[in-house]
Amino acid sequence: MKHRPSPGPSGHPLPASGARGNPPTLRRCPSPRLRGEGGRRPGEGLAILAITLLFAGCTLKSDVTIEPLFILPTQERFSSSSVRVLVDRGDFAKAVKLANEVVSAEEVSYKQLEALGEAELACGRFDDARQHLKQALDLRPFRTDAGAIAWSLSQLEYLTNNFGAALEWARYAIDRGTAVKQWHLDYLQSLQNTRVYEFSGEPSAQVRMEFGKPDVPRVNVEIEGTRTSGIIDSGAVLSIVAESLANELKVQPLGTFHGTFFGLLAEPIDVRFGLVKALQIGGVTVSNVPVAIMADKELRFVIRNKQAFAMRLILGANLLKEFRLEMDASKNEAVFTPLTAADRKPSDEQNLFHVGFRPYVHGSINHRAWYLFVLDTGSEVTFLNRDLLGKTPVRSAEKLHGATLQGLGGSQKHGAKIMKVEVGVDEWAGRFEDIPLYGTEHSQAFGIIGQDLLKKFRVVIDFGSMRVELSRHLSLFGG
């Protein structure tokens, strides 16, 4: 009698542990961009630097000149006919264009299907990714490969708010050698029967947006009927509520378990988790918003003149991915438009990607394209990753001392800076008189795009079309 594999999440057959359907090959290390970042093990995607509000020291007041950006095909870094090569290099949009070649090949390879599924996951093409990742499992990959594929499926279901399925795939991945933090499983389990991010009220909300010290965007919101200010921080994996505010509002705990985030200097920061029942942005109400709850002392920063700044609410990527977000610093205005299922149609010209639960954007460096950057609306500064500098056009630039970055709880990181560097996104580039260099836990990110560039534009971050668009008002020309 022929053996029938037992069903996995959503009835998908699970290959037997260690089953082999392909000839033995050397195992490629899991791609860090989709299975935990910075060399961390799979499953630690929510345990990495969960808040990246980065404040510049007084030595980083760099002038930025804005110029139009034109990239010719000859100025693009590379091309390849291999989906895996393109995925490993972060060129996800090109990788998905090879889908027909992968699925129609005479001998379909689970490794190519896995790579294609990873690219589609990064591009927000979730239905295609789910189909191809499951097809990869049908080909009975090696045990550890099956675990890696299942972890990609778990991330996919997390991003589509299917926490029950995300939990099942995470457990499946663990059974096949993938390391996943227990608190991550607890978090998924606590949400598996909750309908999160349910919208009511107006079709969009136009609200006042303010900058200050630090120079990051903030908007007024209401939580459980109480008005407070929240920082728009796309670099934060989860929305965060200060312990004092959570106690005042009696935020519902998701359980007794705790998790660990990491700060700027890799210091562990204890958090617990809760569910905000009603968050109102202008005329838009969002029900059931998962949040991390963090000690107030970890959310204090020292700004210029040694003044203290305390954050009580951070609107992170888990919430922002449900919107088309417009930010216009020249008008002190932000527009939050909730996305429907019909809105989620990635553009053929997309430049926005999901990597390790964060938004990444394609950018250029000195008219060479494209490089992956973390899109971080909660960072004052744009900077380059010193560890990947050798792969950029500025690898031989002279390095000067004097760059300081501040993270959670006032921790500081010191680094070098280089002079006269151009960084571009969409159709515009900023020419920086000097730009800082830091190491980053985002191993595939060539840097972070921060507010010293973004606030010079009307910025649209559309998680439906997966596009970041920058436009200039006439009043802003001249720098």
Side-chain angles (χ1 to χ4, degrees):
M1 181 174 170
K2 189 173 180 180
H3 170 70
R4 178 189 177 99
S6 58
S10 305
H12 188 73
L14 299 184
S17 177
R20 288 173 170 79
N22 290 37
T25 57
L26 290 175
R27 167 68 180 146
R28 174 185 284 106
C29 291
S31 171
R33 65 174 48 85
L34 288 175
R35 302 197 191 98
E37 299 176 88
R40 290 178 174 83
R41 296 174 297 175
E44 296 187 10
L46 286 178
I48 56 179
L49 181 67
I51 168 177
T52 52
L53 270 136
L54 302 174
F55 302 151
C58 60
T59 55
L60 290 182
K61 294 182 67 175
S62 176
D63 292 328
V64 184
T65 303
I66 302 303
E67 302 171 348
L69 177 67
F70 302 98
I71 298 294
L72 301 174
T74 55
Q75 294 170 314
E76 295 191 14
R77 291 170 60 208
F78 43 67
S79 186
S80 176
S81 59
S82 166
V83 176
R84 171 51 66 191
V85 169
L86 291 171
V87 169
D88 288 346
R89 291 175 174 176
D91 209 339
F92 307 115
K94 284 184 180 176
V96 299
K97 293 178 181 177
L98 298 177
N100 287 338
E101 295 178 25
V102 172
V103 299
S104 62
E106 254 184 62
E107 293 187 13
V108 179
S109 159
Y110 80 77
K111 287 185 177 292
Q112 286 295 298
L113 282 170
E114 177 190 14
L116 176 60
E118 289 178 6
E120 290 163 337
L121 168 56
C123 289
R125 300 169 188 266
F126 299 124
D127 290 341
D128 292 338
R130 187 181 289 110
Q131 175 187 348
H132 293 134
L133 290 168
K134 287 183 176 182
Q135 286 176 353
L137 283 179
D138 287 338
L139 294 176
R140 296 181 175 270
F142 291 107
R143 176 175 177 271
T144 52
D145 288 340
I149 294 168
W151 174 241
S152 290
L153 281 162
S154 182
Q155 291 181 81
L156 185 158
E157 301 299 353
Y158 173 92
L159 287 169
T160 53
N161 305 322
N162 298 317
F163 298 108
L167 176 62
E168 291 185 65
W169 282 119
R171 287 171 172 164
Y172 174 86
I174 291 171
D175 289 343
R176 281 144 186 85
T178 298
V180 180
K181 291 287 188 182
Q182 180 59 45
W183 70 261
H184 179 69
L185 299 179
D186 294 337
Y187 177 80
L188 295 176
Q189 185 167 10
S190 71
L191 290 169
Q192 63 179 332
N193 296 316
T194 303
R195 294 176 61 88
V196 296
Y197 312 119
E198 292 198 304
F199 290 98
S200 59
E202 300 295 327
S204 67
Q206 180 176 312
V207 296
R208 181 173 177 79
M209 178 180 69
E210 296 180 341
F211 287 78
K213 294 181 180 180
D215 209 11
V216 291
R218 59 208 80 182
V219 293
N220 285 327
V221 302
E222 286 189 13
I223 298 180
E224 315 287 359
T226 298
R227 189 178 178 87
T228 189
S229 177
I231 291 175
I232 303 172
D233 184 9
S234 61
V237 169
L238 281 175
S239 298
I240 299 176
V241 175
E243 186 86 39
S244 61
L245 182 59
N247 292 337
E248 287 174 23
L249 301 177
K250 296 180 172 55
V251 172
Q252 176 186 321
L254 283 176
T256 59
F257 64 96
H258 286 233
T260 304
F261 291 169
F262 291 92
L264 187 65
L265 302 177
E267 69 276 17
I269 298 169
D270 182 75
V271 297
R272 57 188 181 91
F273 300 92
L275 191 69
V276 171
K277 287 294 189 178
L279 185 150
Q280 188 171 343
I281 306 172
V284 172
T285 298
V286 195
S287 299
N288 298 329
V289 179
V291 296
I293 299 171
M294 187 177 290
D296 288 59
K297 67 178 182 178
E298 303 294 356
L299 294 171
R300 291 195 187 103
F301 292 80
V302 178
I303 56 178
R304 295 174 181 87
N305 300 322
K306 297 186 177 181
Q307 295 177 344
F309 171 73
M311 297 173 293
R312 303 191 80 198
L313 174 66
I314 293 163
L315 307 178
N318 67 318
L319 173 64
L320 298 178
K321 68 178 173 55
E322 304 297 321
F323 291 94
R324 180 184 187 272
L325 172 64
E326 302 175 43
M327 296 187 297
D328 192 335
S330 71
K331 293 184 175 180
N332 293 319
E333 176 184 284
V335 180
F336 292 78
T337 304
L339 295 173
T340 66
D343 295 325
R344 295 190 181 276
K345 295 179 179 177
S347 165
D348 290 339
E349 303 300 321
Q350 76 176 97
N351 60 357
L352 180 63
F353 307 96
H354 296 288
V355 181
F357 305 108
R358 278 190 179 87
Y360 277 49
V361 65
H362 267 170
S364 65
I365 301 175
N366 282 13
H367 260 68
R368 187 78 169 157
W370 296 102
Y371 300 89
L372 277 176
F373 285 81
V374 178
L375 180 65
D376 194 349
T377 59
S379 174
E380 275 193 314
V381 291
T382 297
F383 66 82
L384 297 180
N385 183 353
R386 69 182 180 211
D387 298 328
L388 294 181
L389 202 66
K391 298 181 179 180
T392 74
V394 294
R395 56 185 171 271
S396 58
E398 181 183 1
K399 299 175 183 61
L400 307 173
H401 296 291
T404 301
L405 205 63
Q406 185 180 175
L408 285 171
S411 60
Q412 292 187 346
K413 180 183 287 189
H414 302 282
K417 57 185 177 181
I418 55 177
M419 310 297 289
K420 301 190 183 304
V421 177
E422 180 197 86
V423 175
V425 174
D426 190 33
E427 298 178 353
W428 294 93
R431 182 166 293 280
F432 291 77
E433 282 300 307
D434 55 71
I435 193 167
L437 306 174
Y438 300 103
T440 170
E441 88 284 358
H442 312 290
S443 64
Q444 296 299 315
F446 282 82
I448 281 180
I449 302 294
Q451 285 297 338
D452 52 357
L453 179 63
L454 293 175
K455 72 176 296 187
K456 295 181 177 293
F457 300 92
R458 173 182 169 270
V459 180
V460 175
I461 304 172
D462 189 340
F463 287 97
S465 65
M466 297 300 289
R467 286 272 306 159
V468 176
E469 297 178 356
L470 307 183
S471 58
R472 293 277 278 168
H473 292 291
L474 291 176
S475 61
L476 289 176
F477 276 98

